[in-house]
Amino acid sequence: MDLYIDTANLDEIKQANDLGVLDGVTTNPSLIAKEKTDYAKRLAEICKIVPGPVSAEVIALDYEGMMKEGHAHAKIADNIVVKLPCTVDGLRACKAFSDEGIKTNLTLCFQPLQALMVAKAGAYLVSPFIGRVDDIAEDGMDLILKIRQIYDNYGYETKLLAASIRHTKHLVECALAGADVATVPFNVIQQMLKHPLTDQGLEKFVADYKKAFG
Ligand code: G3P
């Protein structure tokens, strides 16, 4: 499973990248707004740190606007993936970008048929939002399982990117369900190597070594 970081914060991106296992970055307008910096400048800065795919979301809601913004984003760096919403205009823009050879990430996916449609339009990534589905008392993981099954039934090449991940249990379940990619906030990445028995075991190994060998 590929691991992306879901943030526009450069310190978090650098720290995650230094682990040596980061495959890409996803951003959205809310995440970049939090950084209080220029939108395009921040995307360029991220692309310089991480060579893998960096999702850059459009703000426009109409097809023409999405095409204009998407083309501008795509010029920032070779590893930009244009992020579009799962709407009618987003679907049309997805098909047009895909025909041009520009990669897309179709975001705000909340039901399996949106994932089916964007796969037919040639999306590179689809982003179902697990946490936000859980937030409304439904089952986010069920959405991942259904999309996985549909994509496998027909051999769609669109990568299933699990988004809106809130905790490590989501991440384990995504890996078991066969998500191609998980995009993860920095605080969850920090938890990925943690276990109290690892810490306790290590403490004992070091103490025993010191006792025996000084
Ligand atoms: O980047 C999109 C998604 O991961 C947002 O997550 O926590 O705002 O629902 P969240």
Side-chain angles (χ1 to χ4, degrees):
M1 183 171 70
D2 280 355
L3 179 68
Y4 291 8
I5 187 167
D6 195 28
T7 185
N9 182 279
L10 295 184
D11 285 340
E12 292 182 351
I13 292 168
K14 280 179 197 151
Q15 283 186 61
N17 196 46
D18 284 348
L19 295 173
V21 295
L22 189 71
D23 298 297
V25 181
T26 49
T27 67
N28 63 39
S30 308
L31 291 172
I32 299 184
K34 248 172 48 187
E35 300 302 314
K36 301 190 191 323
T37 183
D38 180 79
Y39 202 90
K41 182 170 164 272
R42 178 49 51 99
L43 289 167
E45 289 166 339
I46 296 171
C47 289
K48 278 202 186 115
I49 301 169
V50 180
V54 174
S55 290
E57 190 158 342
V58 301
I59 310 293
L61 302 178
D62 63 297
Y63 170 77
E64 284 77 16
M66 288 177 187
M67 293 305 294
K68 194 170 161 217
E69 274 181 50
H71 278 127
H73 288 344
K75 279 193 191 114
I76 293 173
D78 288 345
N79 53 332
I80 286 280
V81 173
V82 176
K83 202 169 177 189
L84 303 159
C86 282
T87 59
V88 170
D89 288 64
L91 183 79
R92 286 183 58 212
C94 172
K95 178 73 172 82
F97 282 123
S98 151
D99 288 348
E100 289 179 32
I102 293 174
K103 288 179 176 166
T104 55
N105 175 358
L106 273 286
T107 190
L108 292 167
C109 173
F110 290 97
Q111 56 111 328
L113 295 179
Q114 290 177 315
L116 175 68
M117 292 293 267
V118 306
K120 288 175 72 66
Y124 174 67
L125 295 161
V126 65
S127 294
F129 277 31
I130 310 176
R132 293 193 197 184
V133 173
D134 288 355
D135 288 346
I136 56 161
E138 289 187 14
D139 186 356
M141 279 314 301
D142 185 55
L143 178 60
I144 301 293
L145 290 165
K146 283 180 173 153
I147 297 172
R148 180 73 281 152
Q149 176 79 61
I150 290 168
Y151 281 9
D152 289 349
N153 284 350
Y154 301 102
Y156 288 123
E157 283 174 15
T158 300
K159 289 176 191 288
L160 200 178
L161 184 160
S164 187
I165 285 178
R166 304 279 172 75
H167 46 70
T168 47
K169 189 163 183 280
H170 274 155
L171 208 41
V172 173
E173 288 172 354
C174 284
L176 290 169
D180 298 299
V181 188
T183 191
V184 186
F186 184 59
N187 68 307
V188 179
I189 290 182
Q190 286 176 308
Q191 295 302 314
M192 288 178 74
L193 278 174
K194 294 261 186 228
H195 197 287
L197 291 180
T198 305
D199 298 339
Q200 284 170 30
L202 201 53
E203 213 173 287
K204 186 162 173 9
F205 285 157
V206 172
D208 288 346
Y209 178 91
K210 280 188 180 156
K211 215 187 294 165
F213 306 108

